[in-house]
Amino acid sequence: VRKIADMYTKASNVVDQVVELVKELGGGGLIYVPMDKGAAYVKKVAEALEASGIKVTTYERTKGKILEKYRKGEYEVLVGIASYRSPLARGIDLPERVRYAIFAGVPKIKISLDIEEFRPSRAIILLANLRDFVETQKEADMIDKYIADLRRFSGMLRRDEVERIVESIKAGEKLEGFIGRVQELFIETANFLRELLSRENIRRKIKESPYLSIEGEDKPVIVVPDVVGFLQASGRTSRMYAGGVSKGLAIVIVDSEKAFNGLVRELKWYIEDVKFIELSREKLREVIREVDKDRETIRKLREGRVLPEFKDIVKTALLVVESPSKARTIARFFGKPFKRELNGITVFEISTGDYILSITASMGHIFDLVTREGFHGVRPLNGTFIPVYSTIKRCRACNEQFSDPIEKCPFCGRTLEDKGKVIQALKEIAKEVDMVLIGTDADAEGEKIGWDIAQALAPYTGEIKRIEFHEVTRRALIEALKNPRDINIKLVEAQILRRIEDRWIGFELSGKVQDKFKRRDLSAGRVQTPVLGWIVERTKKSRESLMEHLEITLENNLKITHIIPKTKKRELNKLIEKLKESTCKILNVKREEVEVNPPPPFSTDAMLREASRRLRLGVKETMTLAQDLFEVGLITYHRTDSIRVSGIGMKIAKDYINDKWGEKYAKPRTWGKEGAHECIRPTRPIDAGRLRNLIALGVIRLAKRLTPRHLALYNLIFNRFIASQMAPAKLVKQEAEIQVLEWRVKSEGYTKIIKPGFTLIQPVHLVPEVKPGNVKVKDVKHWRAPTLPLFTEGEVIKIMKDKGIGRPSTYAKILSTLLERRYVILTPRRKLVATKLGKTVYDYLKSSFEKYVSEDTTRKLERMMDEVEQGRIDYMDVIRELHSEIKQIAMAEA
Ligand SMILES: [Zn+2]
């Protein structure tokens, strides 16, 4: 954990400022000089300190003797370079001695374009930084390719081989084979970079950029901040000890405004809530008091005078999450994790300061209802019901899943893989630790997985707690660790109820359908069937509502659309010819200034709808992509009904908006009542372009590789969220009536942006301004289409949400079931069409079992489940009611 107060100050004379600060703060300091200033500057700073009577030495090579003297106080401060390779930044672990770090200038790297100084790692940094400045997509793509090639090839080379290539370029010597190819790549990249930087507009953009600077005319160098160096160096002041993590202090003396801006911006990736405070005497005293208090504690602990309040401060705990990527993401929050294998399960070990955590993944549900006992897995007993669960088994060959206690696959005879081994591994770890923390996803499914694990581990551990976080970030995890709670049994009961209901209705109703149509691959369901009904209905209506659509472009470029009934081809062509020759009359033009507000941020249904509309992504794929983005820590939990924005969310947006367009464009909005859940939003003020750069640079290392589709969805979520926190836009709205032949056509649209707001990130489509009078027709386009078009997946989900049928966790599942059963198919344009099979099955269910599959029944049941969740009704009562109802289905004729 980083427990460091970050401060900055601007100084005209950096060296004087260093001396003044050291005098104020005393011994136990580390002074870091930016890498670009070099060894001479290290010496200069040390001399200035010495001249003021401070005991100081330079530290440029690892020397135990110097450290020992520093520890004893014979040296008050050490001076060295701020770079992750510098011994002063990496090798020092003296928690009782190091009190503060002073950066004599912002840690930064200068990148030369000289081919003789070519380094692939630096070329990558430069390319990624210049990507924002090129004007065409083609050049952006070229940059991506150079970055990818440089990373790949230099990763295959040893350091001395890179050295040799650079030397041979200097000597003008041509190399052969693989390293010859790499040599070509280096030369090509260097030439490309030089060409880019010779362009006037790019040089201007660099000069205008708040982050980058360029120095020198004939041999230009680009200056970029060194985030890794800063983190490594400042980290020396805050170390782990038996009582937790000690408080540290880092002061940056700003010698370059741009490098400092860049440093703060990139730090946001590493530390979500990084905050630099301007240095003041009072603040400095306050922090150093805390620093010294911790040093005092460390010394007492070292001397064996253990203070009672620190005895149990570091607890060991097992943290169980659902997915391996989530486990890996969390493990990386606190430096490099220790990794071990247990029963084929990966366990990460890390220290958060308050906890030593063993982190592992349950890989989804561990238990499921059996099928062979009781009534489809539920045993009736004296008027109550006991659901019987067993571990989930999987056949690798058939990819089938079973819950009954069997060992061999009933289809192929292979030995099944049993999720019981996860429980075995968890038991082993539980025995070693003080407590178990359940960190599964924050919904009913996650609660049930957690409850199962808690039941299984209860005999092996003293304490089991649930922690809940809606984003996989360090900040959220630390917050959650501070607020552990008990497992919410009501949520668990609601999930059990849902599972039983699914199972019973699935087995019984599906059984009827299967018998009726003599096909084992058919199914029915409470949510599935009404949704199928909508699609069947819409498919029919869509066929009946085919009309001719005419798009008429006027000479003033205004486009208007008019719809007429189905017309024979010859007649239609005649009409179009006539239209093309005609003159229209624009009447009644009205224009007014309107204020338009942005749409709210995404909840699950809106995200699915927009991803389907704009990115042409199916709902199943969107959910998978969103799951990945959540698990690697980029977005908040993606199964949510809420559009609420938390304080942290508002701050993220504000940071981004202020940075990009200025304060006046920010307008924080909460969008909803205080509650546990939140909208889907990014976890950092980093847009998709910047994210791609940081990944290319290796600054961001995610637990999973992102594809262009992941980035496209992230971009959609990011822009929508930022827009929702931006000022309204002032637009001119135009309404006009146009006489076309014998028709009166209405036209509506925005013609002008008077004052931009959210439109900066979500552009609006503008139409031309028109005035009353005659205008000729320029062009006519025609197509035949239904006025009630086929549904997209996104539209169906909107109806589900509006009607209260299905929940964020089931939206995608329902549609994919309908598609798998071939009740519904997707057109090439991703529209949903009900098949003949779908219609037949639906008609049968509607006529025979309407009572069980009607919208009303489904909605009522969903509401009852919500009430179980909120503890308002007893889940056993609902099960009893369902049971008698299902029995009626069982008795009905197929
Ligand atoms: Zn099998």
Side-chain angles (χ1 to χ4, degrees):
V1 199
R2 197 180 139 83
K3 216 173 110 186
I4 299 173
D6 294 302
M7 295 191 183
Y8 73 95
T9 181
K10 286 166 196 166
S12 50
N13 188 321
V14 174
V15 179
D16 288 353
Q17 179 74 46
V18 173
V19 174
E20 198 185 307
L21 280 168
V22 172
K23 278 186 176 164
E24 167 97 29
L25 292 167
L30 300 174
I31 317 298
Y32 293 100
V33 163
M35 196 170 17
D36 60 294
K37 293 256 173 79
Y41 199 71
V42 171
K43 222 172 140 208
K44 188 177 162 192
V45 172
E47 279 167 6
L49 286 165
E50 196 156 28
S52 318
I54 292 156
K55 287 177 277 176
V56 57
T57 189
T58 58
Y59 194 76
E60 288 168 291
R61 249 164 313 220
T62 310
K63 271 188 193 150
K65 249 191 210 155
I66 291 181
L67 284 189
E68 188 50 28
K69 282 187 167 177
Y70 174 68
R71 198 181 65 76
K72 286 189 195 148
E74 287 170 38
Y75 289 125
E76 286 168 290
V77 292
L78 302 177
V79 188
I81 302 263
S83 138
Y84 77 99
R85 286 224 189 97
S86 156
L88 192 64
R90 66 194 307 190
I92 296 184
D93 190 15
L94 298 168
E96 78 283 14
R97 176 60 176 155
V98 180
R99 297 165 64 230
Y100 61 91
I102 296 172
F103 293 84
V106 181
K108 50 190 164 322
I109 310 171
K110 283 193 179 172
I111 301 170
S112 153
L113 294 171
D114 205 335
I115 185 76
E116 301 194 349
E117 289 175 45
F118 190 87
R119 289 285 171 279
S121 56
R122 297 192 168 195
I124 290 171
I125 295 176
L126 195 49
L127 284 164
N129 273 295
L130 292 177
R131 198 181 182 284
D132 293 341
F133 300 149
V134 294
E135 259 147 28
T136 62
Q137 186 57 41
K138 203 179 142 215
E139 280 184 336
D141 292 344
M142 264 168 85
I143 287 183
D144 289 342
K145 181 150 176 15
Y146 278 126
I147 291 175
D149 286 352
L150 285 174
R151 279 183 78 85
R152 197 152 41 97
F153 289 135
S154 52
M156 291 186 233
L157 294 174
R158 290 191 314 267
R159 231 182 130 128
D160 60 300
E161 286 174 317
V162 173
E163 215 48 55
R164 202 182 133 210
I165 295 171
V166 175
E167 285 304 313
S168 61
I169 294 173
K170 263 193 249 179
E173 174 197 336
K174 174 106 189 60
L175 299 172
E176 298 290 325
F178 176 68
I179 58 168
R181 271 188 63 198
V182 182
Q183 185 189 35
E184 270 169 38
L185 174 69
F186 283 10
I187 294 172
E188 213 183 293
T189 313
N191 287 340
F192 176 71
L193 279 170
R194 217 165 325 159
E195 197 276 319
L196 277 183
L197 285 164
S198 68
R199 289 187 208 165
E200 200 40 57
N201 66 331
I202 288 189
R203 293 180 77 97
R204 195 192 56 209
K205 280 181 185 166
I206 293 174
K207 284 196 181 112
E208 287 166 2
S209 147
Y211 311 110
L212 294 185
S213 42
I214 188 162
E215 290 175 3
E217 275 300 321
D218 32 309
K219 277 194 169 184
V221 289
I222 301 273
V223 185
V224 295
D226 179 7
V227 186
V228 180
F230 173 75
L231 281 172
Q232 187 96 28
S234 60
R236 300 303 105 200
T237 70
S238 168
R239 311 301 296 162
M240 283 250 303
Y241 71 104
V245 173
S246 60
K247 176 88 181 177
L249 166 64
I251 303 167
V252 177
I253 302 173
V254 179
D255 58 340
S256 152
E257 194 87 24
K258 284 188 170 195
F260 183 62
N261 289 343
L263 180 74
V264 176
R265 181 173 73 158
E266 290 197 6
L267 273 172
K268 278 178 190 154
W269 167 255
Y270 291 94
I271 315 152
E272 298 105 16
D273 41 10
V274 62
K275 206 176 156 203
F276 273 89
I277 322 164
E278 185 157 13
L279 184 87
S280 71
R281 200 153 249 197
E282 302 79 69
K283 200 72 206 157
L284 196 61
R285 287 203 179 132
E286 190 188 316
V287 172
I288 209 73
R289 245 199 316 273
E290 281 180 64
V291 167
D292 288 338
K293 205 176 129 222
D294 279 0
R295 303 301 179 281
E296 183 59 30
T297 312
I298 298 171
R299 265 192 293 276
K300 283 185 182 162
L301 281 165
R302 290 251 154 126
E303 289 159 15
R305 290 190 282 140
V306 181
L307 306 177
E309 68 258 39
F310 285 114
K311 245 190 194 157
D312 297 315
I313 209 156
V314 182
K315 274 196 166 176
T316 55
L318 162 64
L319 171 61
V320 189
V321 297
E322 274 159 66
S323 84
S325 339
K326 198 170 162 186
R328 209 171 312 132
T329 304
I330 292 174
R332 289 184 189 176
F333 291 160
F334 306 93
K336 205 174 154 53
F338 176 72
K339 202 169 137 185
R340 64 175 166 141
E341 298 280 323
L342 201 71
N343 262 10
I345 311 282
T346 305
V347 185
F348 297 101
E349 280 176 10
I350 56 160
S351 168
T352 71
D354 295 330
Y355 288 98
I356 309 276
L357 288 182
S358 299
I359 307 168
T360 193
S362 73
M363 295 187 260
H365 279 280
I366 294 177
F367 294 92
D368 193 12
L369 274 184
V370 299
T371 63
R372 293 179 186 172
E373 259 189 76
F375 183 57
H376 306 307
V378 185
R379 204 188 294 147
L381 188 80
N382 304 330
T384 71
F385 294 87
I386 301 170
V388 184
Y389 281 87
S390 177
T391 51
I392 294 169
K393 290 113 196 146
R394 176 172 221 105
C395 173
R396 278 238 171 152
C398 312
N399 206 19
E400 290 282 343
Q401 208 166 282
F402 311 92
S403 54
D404 291 301
I406 47 172
E407 275 167 30
K408 302 259 188 249
C409 175
F411 301 116
C412 71
R414 257 174 88 122
T415 305
L416 296 170
E417 253 176 50
D418 195 325
K419 284 298 274 293
K421 75 170 186 184
V422 175
I423 287 291
Q424 272 313 320
L426 295 181
K427 279 179 187 166
E428 291 302 315
I429 309 167
K431 283 185 221 162
E432 300 166 1
V433 296
D434 298 332
M435 68 182 303
V436 175
L437 293 164
I438 310 280
T440 46
D441 290 348
D443 56 17
E445 298 298 319
E447 205 72 13
K448 169 67 164 57
I449 297 173
W451 185 72
D452 286 343
I453 293 168
Q455 297 294 308
L457 300 188
Y460 302 91
T461 182
E463 201 182 356
I464 300 177
K465 286 281 180 192
R466 172 88 164 101
I467 58 167
E468 196 178 318
F469 42 96
H470 297 261
E471 55 180 68
V472 191
T473 57
R474 179 160 56 182
R475 171 183 58 219
L477 178 73
I478 289 171
E479 212 31 55
L481 286 171
K482 281 189 206 147
N483 300 295
R485 60 166 171 85
D486 290 323
I487 287 182
N488 179 349
I489 192 70
K490 293 294 159 202
L491 266 180
V492 176
E493 286 172 356
Q495 197 279 345
I496 293 174
L497 176 61
R498 201 174 280 275
R499 182 76 194 91
I500 292 176
E501 151 72 3
D502 252 21
R503 168 62 70 75
W504 282 353
I505 200 90
F507 273 37
E508 286 299 330
L509 209 54
S510 300
K512 296 289 174 196
V513 177
Q514 290 172 1
D515 291 347
K516 172 83 186 173
F517 296 94
K518 311 237 170 335
R519 279 178 65 167
R520 292 282 113 196
D521 58 337
L522 300 183
S523 73
R526 294 245 205 221
V527 181
Q528 192 194 121
T529 302
V531 172
L532 174 61
W534 306 336
I535 301 171
V536 167
E537 181 70 16
R538 180 49 76 98
T539 305
K540 180 167 157 257
K541 287 229 172 99
S542 163
R543 276 188 199 126
E544 289 166 359
S545 71
L546 279 177
M547 302 273 259
E548 313 293 350
H549 289 63
L550 297 164
E551 188 193 73
I552 304 154
T553 309
L554 304 180
E555 244 165 12
N556 56 20
N557 287 323
L558 187 71
K559 283 188 164 108
I560 49 179
T561 312
H562 187 60
I563 298 166
I564 57 169
K566 268 210 285 194
T567 312
K568 290 218 176 72
K569 203 163 183 194
R570 264 189 53 197
E571 257 177 72
L572 189 69
N573 283 340
K574 251 200 257 163
L575 177 68
I576 291 172
E577 281 317 304
K578 191 172 152 201
L579 263 174
K580 279 185 178 164
E581 299 298 307
S582 67
T583 299
C584 301
K585 190 165 193 179
I586 297 179
L587 319 149
N588 310 329
V589 181
K590 202 177 96 192
R591 268 193 297 273
E592 56 172 347
E593 229 179 87
V594 288
E595 198 179 77
V596 181
N597 274 297
F602 282 145
S603 52
T604 306
D605 63 300
M607 173 186 73
L608 293 174
R609 194 167 65 246
E610 285 294 283
S612 133
R613 199 164 73 88
R614 289 170 185 260
L615 308 175
R616 294 274 163 101
L617 289 174
V619 296
K620 197 175 168 188
E621 186 176 12
T622 304
M623 283 312 264
T624 310
L625 294 171
Q627 178 86 37
D628 291 343
L629 292 174
F630 166 68
E631 285 173 3
V632 300
L634 290 173
I635 61 167
T636 49
Y637 196 43
H638 56 294
R639 297 181 205 279
T640 177
D641 262 337
S642 171
I643 52 167
R644 185 182 75 90
V645 180
S646 67
I648 287 163
M650 285 191 274
K651 179 161 186 314
I652 288 168
K654 216 171 120 200
D655 276 358
Y656 183 81
I657 297 161
N658 287 357
D659 206 45
K660 188 137 183 169
W661 301 289
E663 230 167 276
K664 64 176 179 179
Y665 290 106
K667 184 171 192 289
R669 295 180 185 84
T670 54
W671 288 105
K673 291 191 295 278
E674 192 62 31
H677 292 267
E678 236 196 293
C679 67
I680 306 172
R681 60 159 175 83
T683 56
R684 293 173 184 79
I686 295 173
D687 60 33
R690 182 92 196 124
L691 177 64
R692 190 179 21 214
N693 271 350
L694 291 172
I695 293 173
L697 284 171
V699 170
I700 293 181
R701 286 171 208 276
L702 299 173
K704 202 166 202 163
R705 245 178 74 98
L706 298 190
T707 64
R709 288 186 168 201
H710 284 106
L711 285 167
L713 181 63
Y714 179 81
N715 187 48
L716 195 69
I717 294 168
F718 188 91
N719 289 356
R720 172 85 168 218
F721 172 68
I722 296 295
S724 84
Q725 297 294 313
M726 286 182 81
K730 261 208 190 114
L731 307 173
V732 175
K733 189 176 168 192
Q734 170 178 277
E735 286 174 357
E737 263 192 321
I738 298 130
Q739 182 83 37
V740 188
L741 304 178
E742 70 272 25
W743 318 309
R744 277 255 177 131
V745 183
K746 279 210 168 100
S747 153
E748 226 186 77
Y750 300 117
T751 57
K752 209 159 98 190
I753 298 175
I754 301 175
K755 215 177 100 200
F758 73 95
T759 49
L760 288 170
I761 198 160
Q762 297 226 303
V764 287
H765 175 73
L766 295 181
V767 301
E769 209 169 89
V770 297
K771 52 179 193 292
N774 292 337
V775 194
K776 280 197 168 148
V777 170
K778 191 160 106 185
D779 192 24
V780 180
K781 276 193 187 128
H782 154 261
W783 64 91
R784 184 178 279 182
T787 49
L788 275 176
L790 293 167
F791 282 137
T792 61
E793 292 178 280
E795 283 160 350
V796 170
I797 281 159
K798 169 128 177 51
I799 304 174
M800 288 172 77
K801 159 124 182 185
D802 292 346
K803 294 198 174 193
I805 289 181
R807 289 292 177 263
S809 53
T810 53
Y811 293 150
K813 178 94 199 325
I814 295 298
L815 278 170
S816 58
T817 306
L818 292 176
L819 289 163
E820 271 161 34
R821 307 281 179 240
R822 309 291 291 171
Y823 293 163
V824 168
I825 51 170
L826 276 173
T827 69
R829 305 200 59 189
R830 303 204 67 96
K831 303 274 193 151
L832 296 163
V833 184
T835 59
K836 200 159 163 255
L837 174 70
K839 184 176 182 315
T840 320
V841 169
Y842 177 72
D843 288 345
Y844 162 69
L845 286 165
K846 191 167 184 297
S847 63
S848 306
F849 300 100
E850 188 175 13
K851 193 179 143 197
Y852 309 103
V853 294
S854 78
E855 266 177 52
D856 277 345
T857 316
T858 306
R859 187 169 29 241
K860 202 183 112 207
L861 195 70
E862 297 265 14
R863 238 183 270 136
M864 261 157 52
M865 293 190 191
D866 289 348
E867 283 179 22
V868 169
E869 234 181 81
Q870 290 147 8
R872 282 207 288 268
I873 51 176
D874 184 3
Y875 84 126
M876 216 27 99
D877 292 342
V878 185
I879 293 181
R880 203 169 295 123
E881 209 178 304
L882 286 174
H883 185 250
S884 63
E885 192 188 83
I886 303 281
K887 283 282 177 191
Q888 287 171 23
I889 298 181
M891 284 183 294
E893 295 283 322

